Amino acid sequence: MSLTAGIVGLPNVGKSTLFNAITNSQVEAANYPFATINPNVGVVEVPDKRLDNLSDIFKPKRTIHTTFEFTDIAGLVKGASKGEGLGNQFLSNIRGVDAICHVVRCFENDDITHVEGSVDPLRDIETINLELCLADLAVIEGRLGRIEKKAKTGKDSDALKEVELLKTLQSALEQGIPARLVEVDAEALESIKSFQLLTLKPVIYIANIAEEEIADPYSNVHFAKVEALAKKENCTVVPICAEIEEQLSGLSSEEKDAFLEDLGIGQSGLDHVIQSAYTLLNLRTFFTVGEDECRAWTFTKGMLAPQCAGVIHTDFEKGFIRAETFSYDDFMQYGSETALKEAGKLRLEGKDYVVQDGDIMHFRFNV
């Protein structure tokens, strides 16, 4: 299951520096022979200490983390919704992502010019949100022009419901309110999923602050404003220093840990962004372990055992019989599968089992 996020932001906010850090630390293409990675796409591993610990115990020939794909969205300026700058390219790229990582400048630096002449993250956020709203408005108005006639003349109940939903969203977008902030029925939103509305996508705000403030982001007045907005919108905000992230990307694991300790922070901003996006998209992780391979797999919360088997291979889902299952926490407590069996912690789960985050699974199937 591929997770994709688009990085957006005005010029000179640190977006390119952050993306450089991502591409410097991306996984080797050799691990993913069937993937064609465009120049503006970076694939990084999702950090998970649980997988690292399992690998230390099983000592497999290879350890494979699940991955996260970032797309660098270029060309966003005022008027992007009307094709200004690289607006059309921007909108085309962003429609294909699962989430939006919105980089906001929260640092002062006279040597780096701001396109608006001053640092004001709330204004910058409003600028981008407005362009996204205008782009979605154009999509909705185009659809309404086609569906309203059908709804009136044919008295089609589905068409009437769609018109009602689109007009509700239209009214909000005209006021600059993103569609994700409008209270509408989830089932109704599913019916217009194919429209790929930009403002329906979940958002993480990335506050780019100065290096000297990263250990205490609340000392930055701009960050406090972004956090207040994020809380109001029920979004996540992650403080980072893009320059530090670029430096970290070139270090070994040991050097990275030492650098972070010197800075007084527990994990890199990029790791925090990845984990926040995972949670935002309702994603979870299960593991497969053994002497040949220890591997993390991504699934959506609520998926059943056969569906998770299908994440590995479609044949596993088609011929699913049962899954030998135990939790990561139980394994770390008891230390071995033998001890788990003796303690009654190794379970045989069937087709109705809802897989939990941290489950370690071995699927039995017959095709």
Side-chain angles (χ1 to χ4, degrees):
M1 181 180 292
S2 177
L3 173 66
T4 62
I7 305 176
V8 305
L10 292 175
N12 296 339
V13 299
K15 183 170 66 72
S16 297
T17 304
L18 176 61
F19 187 72
N20 288 340
I22 291 167
T23 53
N24 287 341
S25 59
Q26 71 179 30
V27 297
E28 292 183 16
N31 288 335
Y32 305 91
F34 303 109
T36 300
I37 305 302
N38 296 321
N40 66 327
V41 176
V43 179
V44 294
E45 293 178 341
V46 175
D48 197 320
K49 290 293 185 184
R50 296 173 299 179
L51 181 61
D52 297 334
N53 292 336
L54 291 170
S55 293
D56 288 341
I57 294 170
F58 284 92
K59 303 190 184 307
K61 295 175 183 176
R62 58 183 180 179
T63 298
I64 302 178
H65 287 72
T66 189
T67 58
F68 186 104
E69 185 177 293
F70 285 101
T71 299
D72 186 28
I73 309 297
L76 182 60
V77 293
K78 277 186 177 179
S81 58
K82 299 178 182 178
E84 294 293 331
L86 295 177
N88 291 330
Q89 175 186 329
F90 161 79
L91 296 173
S92 174
N93 287 342
I94 202 171
R95 288 197 190 281
V97 302
D98 300 307
I100 295 173
C101 293
H102 186 160
V103 182
V104 186
R105 178 170 170 173
C106 293
F107 66 89
E108 303 281 353
N109 188 328
D110 294 337
D111 295 328
I112 302 177
T113 304
H114 192 291
V115 290
E116 296 291 343
S118 62
V119 177
D120 185 343
L122 298 187
R123 176 201 59 208
D124 295 350
I125 289 171
E126 184 178 0
T127 295
I128 288 184
N129 280 344
L130 179 59
E131 294 303 324
L132 300 183
C133 285
L134 290 172
D136 281 352
L137 194 57
V139 171
I140 285 176
E141 289 175 345
R143 175 62 178 173
L144 277 171
R146 297 188 296 274
I147 196 72
E148 274 189 301
K149 186 176 181 180
K150 178 182 178 182
K152 290 178 181 178
T153 58
K155 295 184 179 180
D156 185 310
S157 60
D158 289 338
L160 287 168
K161 289 179 182 178
E162 183 179 329
V163 168
E164 183 181 359
L165 171 61
L166 292 178
K167 285 191 172 181
T168 297
L169 295 177
Q170 180 186 38
S171 176
L173 292 168
E174 286 174 342
Q175 301 172 61
I177 300 172
R180 68 178 184 277
L181 300 182
V182 182
E183 291 187 15
V184 292
D185 182 70
E187 186 176 334
L189 287 179
E190 188 67 24
S191 69
I192 61 167
K193 187 177 181 179
S194 62
F195 298 173
Q196 293 186 311
L197 296 181
L198 304 174
T199 62
L200 271 180
K201 297 182 184 295
V203 172
I204 294 175
Y205 291 116
I206 301 176
N208 188 14
I209 64 180
E211 179 176 341
E212 60 270 18
E213 297 172 320
I214 194 64
D216 181 19
Y218 292 98
S219 63
N220 182 298
V221 293
H222 299 306
F223 173 77
K225 292 178 181 178
V226 176
E227 186 184 51
L229 175 66
K231 285 183 177 179
K232 184 179 178 181
E233 295 185 354
N234 197 27
C235 293
T236 298
V237 57
V238 178
I240 70 162
C241 174
E243 290 186 351
I244 288 177
E245 297 304 316
E246 193 169 22
Q247 294 175 53
L248 287 170
S249 67
L251 301 179
S252 68
S253 179
E254 293 77 14
E255 291 171 330
K256 179 179 174 180
D257 290 342
F259 190 9
L260 291 172
E261 186 176 348
D262 288 343
L263 291 170
I265 53 180
Q267 67 175 165
S268 73
L270 178 56
D271 287 353
H272 192 179
V273 168
I274 294 170
Q275 291 165 345
S276 296
Y278 230 62
T279 302
L280 181 70
L281 294 173
N282 217 18
L283 299 176
R284 302 293 184 267
T285 303
F286 72 88
F287 305 99
T288 53
V289 297
E291 294 180 357
D292 288 333
E293 178 183 282
C294 285
R295 183 164 183 165
W297 303 87
T298 301
F299 70 100
T300 303
K301 182 181 178 182
M303 285 177 65
L304 302 178
Q307 294 173 303
C308 285
V311 171
I312 299 176
H313 197 287
T314 53
D315 284 349
F316 286 22
E317 181 173 5
K318 291 176 183 177
F320 179 87
I321 300 174
R322 64 181 65 88
E324 295 179 2
T325 307
F326 50 93
S327 75
Y328 168 82
D329 289 338
D330 284 344
F331 181 74
M332 296 306 293
Q333 178 182 347
Y334 290 95
S336 71
E337 291 185 46
T338 301
L340 283 170
K341 288 180 181 178
E342 293 174 352
K345 296 294 184 179
L346 193 151
R347 313 183 306 274
L348 291 179
E349 300 291 1
K351 294 181 179 180
D352 295 329
Y353 175 65
V354 179
V355 178
Q356 301 299 305
D357 183 56
D359 275 349
I360 300 171
M361 311 190 78
H362 174 69
F363 296 104
R364 295 182 183 179
F365 69 102
N366 183 29
V367 177

